[in-house]
Amino acid sequence: MPVISAPHDFNEGRLFVDLEPIFGCPLYLKCEGFNFAGSIKLKAANEMVASAERDGILKPDSILVESSSGNLGVALSMIAASKGYEFLCVTDSRCNLSTRLLMEALGSRVHIVADPDENGGFLGTRVEYVRSLCASDSRYVWLSQYTNPGNWRAHYRTTAQQIARHFPSLDVLFIGTGTAGTLMGCARYFRQWHRPVRIVAVDSVGSVAFGGEPGRRMIPGLGMSMRPPLLDESYVNEVIRVEEAETIRTCHRMARRGFLFGGSTGTVVSGATEWLSRHDARDITAVAIAPDLGERYLDTIYQTNWLQDLYGDQILDPEQMTATVQTEESAPREPDRRPQP
């Protein structure tokens, strides 16, 4: 039983869920929400803050500032409270109310931008606001999750190695793409692994991270209104784009089996099951990464009025909700492809 004195010292990374009973295809889900920040963003936040402290960038009177759609803001709020820093999170109207309240409960300030950028998102507006703050007061320190190599290094050192340890016969890894920190850290690690691993990036329709037309995106977490500076597509084998309606249906299908996950997880799982349905998955060991849990989405993707107002009355049509992704002649997996203890 661990005993800790700082909240960021605990982060359970060994839990995987077998989704085959729900979706009918072989897929293990790595759950990253079991820490005091509630998401995978704790890893990046830890790495970036520790690096800034080592380099002398963060000082006792520094004010941390970051642009975040939610989860990194919570992680930095928690670390800032633990270490005694002030923190200002710059977010936008898509940030869940519960997430904003959580940051404020941890002692952070939250600034919400209202004007969309040229691509219809809010990222450009958020970043410009952060830059103006840093230019106006030298105490502000922007870690910049979008460009900070500590973002991807955190997952190279932790997330990827945890997956490799449990799945030595891994064939394909599905990773949601926002800042591309998780994607690039894992992709770099498995590029030099003892066996080839197919890296499939999952993005939201309306995101311009991998090109394409910008569009409305109401679920925070995945997708970008600009190309992620950390992204190197040479490490990515394939990109899948998921409609938000499918994200929502996938979240609700898992919830009806007792697993309450967030919107990013719904997107990744939807993309992964669609990919597996198009391939002979009988001998494939496949893992997807779940960035967070679902409690912070109770007033959005799990709230009937919110869903109907944005996506229509048929968003949770019973026929679509009960459909099962089928793989070709599903057969038992090889014994050595089971997760290792």
Side-chain angles (χ1 to χ4, degrees):
M1 177 178 177
V3 177
I4 63 172
S5 58
H8 47 279
D9 288 340
F10 173 76
N11 196 350
E12 176 57 67
R14 299 169 297 174
L15 180 63
F16 295 81
V17 175
D18 185 351
L19 292 180
E20 186 167 20
I22 301 176
F23 294 100
C25 56
L27 181 64
Y28 295 106
L29 187 64
K30 187 180 192 308
C31 301
E32 289 283 349
F34 291 96
N35 56 61
F36 284 99
S39 81
I40 196 171
K41 289 293 188 177
L42 178 60
K43 293 176 175 178
N46 252 334
E47 180 74 23
M48 292 189 297
V49 169
S51 178
E53 289 176 331
R54 287 193 303 268
D55 295 343
I57 298 171
L58 269 176
K59 301 177 176 63
D61 66 339
S62 293
I63 303 173
L64 279 169
V65 60
E66 186 58 77
S67 161
S68 170
S69 61
N71 281 338
L72 183 71
V74 172
L76 286 174
S77 293
M78 189 189 75
I79 293 173
S82 175
K83 291 176 174 283
Y85 295 115
E86 290 186 55
F87 173 57
L88 170 62
C89 180
V90 180
T91 187
D92 58 69
S93 56
R94 293 178 304 180
C95 179
N96 298 322
L97 175 61
S98 59
T99 300
R100 301 201 301 266
L101 294 175
L102 180 54
M103 287 189 280
E104 291 172 346
L106 289 165
S108 298
R109 291 180 289 142
V110 179
H111 177 82
I112 302 171
V113 302
D115 298 325
D117 58 29
E118 59 184 10
N119 287 319
F122 294 93
L123 178 56
T125 309
R126 294 191 337 228
V127 168
E128 284 305 312
Y129 185 83
V130 171
R131 285 177 175 154
S132 68
L133 283 177
C134 293
S136 67
D137 190 333
S138 61
R139 292 177 300 166
Y140 282 105
V141 174
W142 181 25
L143 298 176
S144 184
Q145 62 168 324
Y146 312 107
T147 59
N148 194 320
N151 189 345
W152 69 260
R153 280 201 306 261
H155 302 288
Y156 183 96
R157 295 172 178 172
T158 60
T159 310
Q161 294 186 35
Q162 290 163 354
I163 294 170
R165 188 177 305 118
H166 287 275
F167 295 91
S169 299
L170 181 68
D171 295 302
V172 57
L173 180 60
F174 300 93
I175 310 170
T177 307
T179 63
T182 307
L183 174 65
M184 296 314 303
C186 291
R188 284 188 167 96
Y189 180 87
F190 285 110
R191 173 65 64 88
Q192 59 189 32
W193 208 36
H194 69 90
R195 59 182 279 123
V197 174
R198 188 168 188 83
I199 301 296
V200 179
V202 183
D203 197 11
S204 301
V205 170
S207 164
V208 302
F210 293 92
E213 292 297 317
R216 185 189 75 165
R217 292 180 294 112
M218 301 303 299
I219 301 173
L222 294 189
M224 293 272 278
S225 56
M226 69 177 190
R227 179 180 173 83
L230 295 176
L231 177 63
D232 183 344
E233 289 189 60
S234 68
Y235 286 90
V236 179
N237 298 106
E238 191 172 345
V239 178
I240 295 177
R241 294 176 175 84
V242 175
E243 295 276 1
E244 286 191 335
E246 292 304 319
T247 292
I248 291 163
R249 293 184 187 111
T250 300
C251 284
H252 279 260
R253 286 186 64 189
M254 290 188 288
R256 291 179 185 183
R257 298 295 292 271
F259 293 105
L260 194 72
F261 286 105
S264 298
T265 300
T267 302
V268 175
V269 172
S270 178
T273 54
E274 191 276 331
W275 188 95
L276 290 166
S277 72
R278 293 187 282 104
H279 295 78
D280 183 351
R282 287 175 294 181
D283 295 324
I284 288 179
T285 297
V287 172
I289 298 175
D292 61 5
L293 301 178
E295 291 92 338
R296 294 173 192 171
Y297 300 82
L298 293 177
D299 57 351
T300 54
I301 62 176
Y302 294 108
Q303 213 282 328
T304 302
N305 291 338
W306 187 88
L307 291 177
Q308 291 177 342
D309 287 347
L310 290 173
Y311 303 97
D313 294 339
Q314 302 304 312
I315 181 65
L316 299 179
D317 181 87
E319 291 186 6
Q320 293 174 311
M321 289 295 298
T322 57
T324 301
V325 175
Q326 298 290 336
T327 58
E328 297 180 19
E329 299 179 6
S330 179
R333 280 162 281 179
E334 297 294 331
D336 64 352
R337 292 176 179 270
R338 300 292 296 179
Q340 301 299 305

